[in-house]
Amino acid sequence: MRAWIRAAVVLPFAAACSKAPAAPTTPFGAASVVSEATSNGATPMFLVTSNGTQVLSWVAMPGDTGGGALYVRSTFADGAVRTSGLRDPLGGIEPHGEAPPQMAAGPDGVLYTLYTVGKDVGGRYPASALRFARSDDGGTSWSTPVSVNEGPAFGSHSFHALIAGPDGTVYASWLNNNPAEAGVWLRVSRDGGRTWDAARAVYREPTCPCCRTALALAPDGTLYIAWRAVLSGDVRDIMVMSSKDHGTSWSTPVRPHADDWVFPGCPHAGPSLRVDAAGGVHLSWWTGKPGAAGTWYARSADGGATWRSTPIDTAITAQPAHIQLGVSGSRVLIGWDGGHAGLPGVFLTASNDGGTTFGPTWRLSPSEVAATFPVLGLGADSLSVAWTQVGDSAYRALLEAHKEPEGEHDRMALPRVGQQEIMLRRAPLTALDGTR
């Protein structure tokens, strides 16, 4: 099951919620358009490397004629800014919000990207190829892309995650929805993406087929993975497990919070996962459970064995949210899109005590536009938040153009960028202090 901007599930909205969704003032500066050079843009991704380079990527289709390319803007520590474009010989890079191009950084400023190329093969849904490229010069130029999925070039390989260790080991996870190979898959490169170990399924039980996976690395090298499982009775809850041997063997899956959300569909809303410098594991996700629907957060201090969960923005019902975590020291940041009525907006809240308490919630996007898929970039002393934005009428047209197939002969079209653009706001980290 695939969709594009919003989820396949449509939930009734309710105004009643557990807390006010926005604060009257915000510490963030004015929003700026960062995709002007490419006319349009969608699915941003942020990355700050160990040497201080700030990297922002997005997919653009100049003229929206198809054939999406990945654009990467690198701001170096000396203030120099360079923008490069990456095109794939297999076809256009997909601007899929729940499965955006992922970015990771290796040693010495090496950059990695993992993305999907879509192809209309005449089926109900387009097929996808999972592709990887690296840059040895901070994003100025890129290697020839290679496929991470094995077998035929195009299949059902998407909803991916990418992370890299300081030793040059690269991990890629994704969902394979081919019936004979369904589940959560992983592939590992021990030489910075030049060669890869054989792909392996790390979870072969039913999974929600259109909710992204998430990866995180602890300082001791423990690898964590999270995804949305389909449990007995069509319960669609988040699961986490860990590996201490580079993904060869895994712990028993743990459900950090029993949402017990029963839903015979796919919300297109996967988890976000981070590990702090002390080894604490942080998780945030959306659930549609009636009475507790919305954004949740959980933290584990014992390597993912047990969890303490906290509702962040919940209501009787809520529209699906796409969540991003940021962690730096004792500061935990949660950004999400959502709301309880009307057009989706971008929200953010912060904790300065490791996730025990959270401060006020700020709305970063204007209410008269649709703002989706926020990403967070944590610098040494500031936070950057980027998101995809589009006007009301254009947003509704995109929803209609990319709705789930209903009839026997309906087909889902490949995603397009259209009139969307990438917006950016920044705030000093000290301005985010506070408690609820």
Side-chain angles (χ1 to χ4, degrees):
M1 179 182 294
R2 293 164 61 94
W4 185 36
I5 299 179
R6 302 306 291 170
V9 54
V10 177
L11 298 175
F13 300 141
C17 58
S18 60
K19 64 183 184 67
T25 60
T26 173
F28 285 82
S32 60
V33 181
V34 295
S35 55
E36 280 186 317
T38 55
S39 301
N40 59 14
T43 63
M45 191 57 62
F46 251 127
L47 178 68
V48 179
T49 69
S50 59
N51 59 12
T53 301
Q54 298 187 29
V55 182
L56 176 63
S57 67
W58 65 90
V59 176
M61 294 180 176
D64 199 34
T65 57
L70 180 67
Y71 290 85
V72 180
R73 189 182 76 171
S74 299
T75 303
F76 297 88
D78 62 2
V81 178
R82 289 201 292 269
T83 300
S84 65
L86 171 62
R87 293 187 178 274
D88 195 292
L90 273 188
I93 296 174
E94 285 196 305
H96 192 303
E98 180 63 4
Q102 298 287 330
M103 300 288 295
D108 302 321
V110 175
L111 299 180
Y112 311 110
T113 183
L114 183 71
Y115 56 87
T116 56
V117 169
K119 182 178 182 180
D120 188 346
V121 294
R124 190 172 180 85
Y125 299 97
S128 57
L130 190 60
R131 304 280 279 174
F132 172 88
R134 63 174 280 154
S135 172
D136 294 308
D137 53 15
T140 302
S141 61
W142 293 88
S143 65
T144 301
V146 297
S147 290
V148 173
N149 58 277
E150 297 176 318
F154 287 92
S156 183
H157 317 283
S158 189
F159 304 103
H160 46 284
L162 179 72
I163 198 165
D167 61 351
T169 302
V170 183
Y171 303 89
S173 65
W174 68 95
L175 296 183
N176 188 336
N177 291 317
N178 294 324
E181 301 176 323
V184 181
W185 284 69
L186 182 81
R187 204 166 183 193
V188 181
S189 170
R190 302 174 193 275
D191 57 6
R194 294 180 178 88
T195 62
W196 294 81
D197 294 349
R200 63 176 70 94
V202 300
Y203 184 80
R204 293 299 297 265
E205 299 300 316
T207 58
C208 200
C210 55
C211 295
R212 69 176 185 254
T213 58
L215 292 170
L217 267 176
D220 66 358
T222 300
L223 177 66
Y224 294 88
I225 190 168
W227 69 99
R228 189 181 295 275
V230 180
L231 307 176
S232 178
D234 227 343
V235 169
R236 302 198 174 219
D237 284 1
I238 302 300
M239 305 287 281
V240 177
M241 60 186 182
S242 62
S243 171
K244 295 185 178 297
D245 54 11
H246 301 284
T248 301
S249 61
W250 292 86
S251 64
T252 301
V254 172
R255 182 164 49 155
H257 183 261
D259 296 339
D260 290 325
W261 179 37
V262 178
F263 181 69
C266 200
H268 286 255
S272 184
L273 187 66
R274 296 287 187 273
V275 182
D276 61 37
V281 190
H282 305 263
L283 176 75
S284 194
W285 72 98
W286 180 86
T287 178
K289 174 68 178 292
T295 300
W296 284 72
Y297 164 81
R299 183 182 187 277
S300 174
D302 56 8
T306 61
W307 296 78
R308 178 181 56 80
S309 58
T310 303
I312 297 298
D313 183 21
T314 59
I316 298 171
T317 59
Q319 53 190 333
H322 306 91
I323 298 165
Q324 287 284 340
L325 278 171
V327 176
S328 176
S330 62
R331 182 175 278 110
V332 180
L333 303 156
I334 306 176
W336 70 97
D337 60 0
H340 306 290
L343 295 171
V346 169
F347 301 87
L348 184 122
T349 189
S351 168
N352 298 294
D353 53 14
T356 301
T357 60
F358 284 84
T361 295
W362 295 284
R363 179 170 186 143
L364 303 187
S365 61
S367 59
E368 66 272 14
V369 299
T372 57
F373 301 104
V375 291
L376 311 182
L378 267 169
D381 55 6
S382 66
L383 169 69
S384 299
V385 182
W387 65 87
T388 300
Q389 185 168 297
V390 66
D392 185 352
S393 59
Y395 173 70
R396 298 182 190 281
L398 288 169
L399 286 179
E400 180 64 25
H402 297 278
K403 65 182 180 181
E404 282 287 306
E406 296 178 355
E408 180 181 354
H409 301 292
D410 287 351
R411 301 289 184 265
M412 174 170 282
L414 288 167
R416 304 183 75 87
V417 176
Q419 299 176 38
Q420 297 178 100
E421 54 190 5
I422 305 300
M423 307 301 296
L424 173 70
R425 295 185 75 174
R426 288 193 175 95
L429 286 178
T430 53
L432 302 179
D433 294 343
T435 57
R436 285 193 194 279

